[in-house]
Amino acid sequence: MQYVTLNNGIEMPLLGFGVYQIPAEDTERAVSDALAAGYRLLDTAAAYGNEEAVGRAIQSSGIAREDLFVTTKLWVQDAPAEENTKRAFETSLHKLRLDYLDLYLMHQPFGDIYGQWRAMEALNREGRTRAIGVANFYPDRLIDLIVNNEITPQVNQIETHPFFQRTDYQALMREHGVQIQSWGGFAEGKNDLFTNPLLAEIGKEYGKSVAQVVLRWLTQRGVIAIPKSVRAERMAENIDAFDFELTDDQMAQIATLDTGSSLFFDHHDPEIVTWLTKRRLDA
């Protein structure tokens, strides 16, 4: 496994396993299979509703806690945001059956993000989470958070895939010491990703699948990837993406697939902002 070093010196695996949209009843088995396949970075969120299943899989794995890198995410909190953030953190930690987190992310750039961030900074200082970061923050919100707070986010997890590559934004984040992480790395199969002629032709040259080509493209750019699968054979295939290297020409060819736009939702859309901000999680 390859690693990246975050701006606080913590090492984070470049490839991990995500559980978004995996039903809670399937999550424990999926995470157990992923750990058996060699994944050590696990990514979940309070909003996914499967933290407890992830925790059971971790507990039954027999893998030493220090060998795992566990991420979960804070959902938008009502006021008082600082108090509620700490309560939400403890709830997630309890569900995961852990004493600390490796990375705690603010899931959305909405609500009292400053109150939420102050609480996350405090959790980080207390050693309850080794690193803190954000998700779905566009450049304006990220820079505003950096300028007006003490701790610069270690990670920003954003939609990143061949059709929305975020190259310029990655460069901006690098300037400020923020590590980019991809969600939706396979674009959930949209735009016929898995049968894309260019990606398939590149894969054929190396004896690799389109999925492996995409993961190598992401990790070769220094983008942390967290592919999801419920099939053990796919998990094994996805983690086997470090034994080849794309050429500069192939990277340039893949760059031509970029549409520059989200395939899912726009965080600047008032209707999306309203829906995300008003959504509340069950305790």
Side-chain angles (χ1 to χ4, degrees):
M1 178 57 62
Q2 296 180 9
Y3 292 80
V4 293
T5 301
L6 305 181
N7 65 30
N8 62 352
I10 299 297
E11 287 194 335
M12 182 174 180
L14 196 51
L15 184 64
F17 185 73
V19 298
Y20 174 59
Q21 290 185 332
I22 298 181
E25 61 270 20
D26 297 328
T27 301
E28 183 176 355
R29 175 193 55 79
V31 173
S32 294
D33 288 346
L35 291 171
Y39 293 88
R40 293 298 179 264
L41 163 60
L42 301 175
D43 181 277
T44 185
Y48 299 169
N50 54 20
E51 288 175 313
E52 289 177 301
V54 172
R56 289 194 299 271
I58 290 172
Q59 189 174 57
S60 63
S61 71
I63 298 170
R65 175 65 184 92
E66 59 269 23
D67 293 334
L68 297 173
F69 194 103
V70 183
T71 301
T72 195
K73 306 179 192 74
L74 169 75
W75 192 251
V76 180
Q77 296 299 303
D78 293 316
E82 290 186 58
E83 178 181 327
N84 287 335
T85 294
K86 292 179 180 179
R87 184 179 298 114
F89 175 85
E90 296 296 345
T91 297
S92 288
L93 209 62
H94 176 74
K95 288 181 176 181
L96 289 164
R97 306 185 184 194
L98 299 176
D99 296 324
Y100 67 91
L101 287 176
D102 296 282
L103 176 62
Y104 197 38
L105 299 180
M106 193 187 309
H107 205 154
Q108 302 292 344
F110 303 129
D112 180 7
I113 63 173
Y114 304 102
Q116 293 170 169
W117 190 250
R118 284 192 296 271
M120 292 170 67
E121 287 181 322
L123 290 166
N124 181 237
R125 293 190 196 97
E126 294 164 6
R128 307 299 307 286
T129 179
R130 298 170 68 218
I132 55 176
V134 296
N136 298 303
F137 271 57
Y138 274 71
D140 54 340
R141 304 308 299 271
L142 179 66
I143 298 304
D144 182 59
L145 190 73
I146 291 171
V147 169
N148 290 293
N149 288 278
E150 181 180 341
I151 298 178
T152 294
Q154 273 83 54
V155 172
N156 185 14
Q157 186 182 118
I158 57 175
E159 178 187 351
T160 314
H161 49 72
F163 307 119
F164 194 26
Q165 300 189 8
R166 319 302 289 271
T167 306
D168 290 345
Y169 191 17
Q170 181 181 2
L172 177 67
M173 282 190 270
R174 186 180 294 114
E175 288 178 20
H176 291 272
V178 181
Q179 171 64 45
I180 184 174
Q181 181 176 20
S182 162
W183 66 256
F186 295 147
E188 295 186 6
K190 293 188 177 186
N191 289 3
D192 298 320
L193 174 84
F194 293 113
T195 56
N196 180 274
L198 172 60
L199 298 174
E201 184 62 29
I202 293 173
K204 184 178 178 181
E205 179 175 335
Y206 298 102
K208 296 291 183 179
S209 68
V210 166
Q212 289 171 312
V213 170
V214 171
L215 292 173
R216 190 66 189 110
W217 168 75
L218 285 167
T219 56
Q220 201 165 306
R221 285 178 52 193
V223 179
I224 298 171
I226 45 171
K228 173 198 71 178
S229 179
V230 295
R231 298 168 57 186
E233 64 271 22
R234 290 292 185 215
M235 297 176 195
E237 176 184 293
N238 289 341
I239 204 171
D240 184 26
F242 291 104
D243 61 349
F244 70 108
E245 185 169 334
L246 302 174
T247 66
D248 291 344
D249 182 59
Q250 288 167 338
M251 296 290 283
Q253 290 177 56
I254 295 173
T256 67
L257 299 176
D258 193 6
T259 68
S261 299
S262 170
L263 295 186
F264 297 96
F265 44 78
D266 182 359
H267 279 77
H268 296 113
D269 182 339
E271 291 187 6
I272 294 294
V273 174
T274 300
W275 181 78
L276 289 171
T277 302
K278 289 186 174 182
R279 184 187 176 204
R280 289 296 176 264
L281 306 181
D282 293 332

